[in-house]
Amino acid sequence: MRNPPPFDSQYEAAGGLAEKIAAEGAYCVAAINAFSSDETRSADEVFVDQNARFQAHIADGVALDALLAELVFSLDRLTAEVSADLDSFRGLTLREKMAGWTSRQRMWRMYTERVREAPVVERLLDLLTKSDVLARLIASQRVSLTERHKAAERGLVDIVEQRRRLVDSIDIARLKMKELNAKALTTQGRIGVYGNRAHWEQMEAERRALKAEAERISAEEHEMRDDSQRREHFIGLFQSFVDSLNGRIAVCNVLLRKLMIDVEERLIIYQAQVDTDRPGTKMRIKPEFFPDIATPIRLFEKGMLVAQDLERRKSRADLEAAGRFPAYAEPSPEASGAPLIDTARRSFRFSLPFLRS
């Protein structure tokens, strides 16, 4: 299976795509707010151009969400690898066991050197650094998406309200046309029946005036109907844009929630390692060093992170994220052929066996 791209290259790609999306998103919002201002081109030309750019922007947003999800889950996989490495330290290697046949002191010295040489703390600190920059990117996306959503929704509401008033005007125009045509028909029926020729000529002039007014209102009604249909066409496009923004905000919330819970897991593993390996390195983690994941770090400083509580919340966050991104869902026991309840298997990530003596 092909190895996933490195975190740094993926993060750079996500940052570049985010900048492109920001520029195109600003154009889309401006297009909504400036609706009907372009009188130099036909409505069809404007729609074709805007539809292409709006759809491209929506597709880019989906691609960025997938990149952000891959970054979050890639850090999760790296955390699992670190936890597995720590778990492996509980046992002695064959070389260490052979050394123990002649000297138990030498065996434990070799074991201690192997554990100390493993760059576990550095790997965990690197994971926290990457978590911090990723949290910053996702949070900034959520802020810009929220602002863009508010502006676009406000413009869309104005367009919908204008169309509603336009529909009301069309209904009024149709009633007036019906009334004028009825009066013209009544006047036409009276010509030649009542009065003299001068009176007939006066009624004919009135009939022609009524018909002319009805035709004028009919032309206005036709223009308003065309404008209403044009607005309906654009409203569907703009609504898709607003819906996509709303969906992306929800994705950012899901990914941030998972990322923060994953950070708590990394902090628990880090705490276990520095307590058993290098006391004093806890000072290397401070909220000011990682401002975008400061909330779980403050809990870490106060000793309020508990593995048992984290397991339940992490499971729920993983399921929620997998619901948004099924590619990262873990296979169910039914799909893998495993029993529904596997009593022989247990999670190494939360039992933290390297904590037990």
Side-chain angles (χ1 to χ4, degrees):
M1 186 175 68
R2 183 176 61 87
N3 292 328
F7 177 91
D8 293 339
S9 61
Q10 278 197 309
Y11 181 83
E12 185 177 352
L17 186 55
E19 291 179 1
K20 176 187 175 184
I21 287 175
E24 283 298 306
Y27 163 81
C28 293
V29 173
I32 294 175
N33 292 330
F35 180 71
S36 296
S37 63
D38 189 355
E39 299 179 354
T40 61
R41 297 187 297 168
S42 68
D44 290 339
E45 289 176 336
V46 174
F47 182 82
V48 169
D49 178 39
Q50 291 189 356
N51 182 64
R53 295 189 67 170
F54 273 66
Q55 296 301 335
H57 174 78
I58 293 172
D60 285 342
V62 173
L64 178 58
D65 290 345
L67 266 177
L68 294 176
E70 172 59 28
L71 288 168
V72 171
F73 280 94
S74 67
L75 294 182
D76 199 13
R77 289 192 297 267
L78 292 173
T79 304
E81 292 175 6
V82 172
S83 184
D85 288 346
L86 287 174
D87 195 10
S88 69
F89 292 154
R90 281 184 54 81
L92 296 170
T93 65
L94 177 60
R95 182 167 171 266
E96 291 163 352
K97 290 178 180 178
M98 291 177 64
W101 294 344
T102 57
S103 171
R104 293 189 62 82
Q105 184 179 7
R106 182 166 178 260
M107 177 186 71
W108 289 115
R109 185 170 62 251
M110 292 172 61
Y111 168 79
T112 302
E113 289 175 356
R114 177 169 61 89
V115 172
R116 288 184 180 277
E117 288 174 0
V120 173
V121 170
E122 286 71 18
R123 289 167 65 189
L124 287 169
L125 288 172
D126 180 62
L127 284 174
L128 291 173
T129 300
K130 290 175 177 176
S131 300
D132 187 61
V133 297
L134 181 55
R136 185 180 310 128
L137 177 58
I138 298 175
S140 66
Q141 277 294 295
R142 183 172 62 178
V143 170
S144 62
L145 286 169
T146 302
E147 294 174 351
R148 208 173 297 148
H149 179 270
K150 289 180 180 178
E153 189 174 48
R154 192 162 49 242
L156 178 59
V157 168
D158 290 341
I159 296 172
V160 171
E161 182 61 25
Q162 290 169 6
R163 182 175 180 273
R164 187 190 65 78
R165 291 196 295 268
L166 197 58
V167 170
D168 291 342
S169 298
I170 291 172
D171 292 339
I172 294 172
R174 287 173 176 172
L175 289 175
K176 286 183 178 179
M177 287 165 52
K178 184 177 181 180
E179 182 182 353
L180 290 170
N181 285 325
K183 286 183 178 181
L185 187 61
T186 301
T187 302
Q188 182 178 0
R190 296 174 63 186
I191 296 175
V193 178
Y194 303 99
N196 52 30
R197 179 174 293 278
H199 194 196
W200 296 343
E201 291 177 352
Q202 181 183 355
M203 286 191 291
E204 176 63 18
E206 290 177 359
R207 185 193 70 80
R208 289 178 178 176
L210 290 170
K211 291 295 291 184
E213 180 65 12
E215 289 174 359
R216 185 188 66 81
I217 294 177
S218 175
E220 291 181 353
E221 186 269 345
H222 185 74
E223 291 180 0
M224 289 189 292
R225 189 169 67 249
D226 289 345
D227 190 19
S228 175
Q229 291 174 351
R230 180 179 67 89
R231 288 175 181 273
E232 184 178 11
H233 210 33
F234 278 91
I235 285 172
L237 174 61
F238 297 160
Q239 185 65 60
S240 297
F241 173 71
V242 172
D243 290 344
S244 73
L245 294 177
N246 192 51
R248 292 200 59 217
I249 292 171
V251 167
C252 287
N253 289 333
V254 169
L255 292 179
L256 269 179
R257 187 155 47 244
K258 172 172 170 53
L259 181 59
M260 290 303 170
I261 292 176
D262 289 349
V263 167
E264 292 183 26
E265 180 189 19
R266 286 155 205 156
L267 290 170
I268 289 176
I269 298 174
Y270 179 87
Q271 180 64 68
Q273 177 64 6
V274 298
D275 282 352
T276 58
D277 183 22
R278 290 180 243 181
T281 51
K282 183 177 179 180
M283 298 300 294
R284 297 169 66 178
I285 296 183
K286 291 287 185 181
E288 53 267 28
F289 299 159
F290 306 96
D292 293 281
I293 54 172
T295 299
I297 290 178
R298 291 191 183 97
L299 296 176
F300 168 73
E301 286 186 319
K302 297 175 182 178
M304 297 175 64
L305 297 181
V306 181
Q308 288 75 11
D309 171 67
L310 178 63
E311 182 175 7
R312 174 182 54 82
R313 292 188 293 113
K314 178 168 174 56
S315 176
R316 189 167 57 208
D318 287 346
L319 285 174
E320 189 178 14
R324 291 277 180 177
F325 301 95
Y328 300 103
E330 294 184 0
S332 62
E334 296 91 335
S336 62
L340 292 178
I341 301 177
D342 189 353
T343 56
R345 183 185 178 189
R346 56 190 174 85
S347 172
F348 63 82
R349 297 183 64 175
F350 288 102
S351 60
L352 300 178
F354 53 82
L355 282 174
R356 297 196 297 268
S357 58

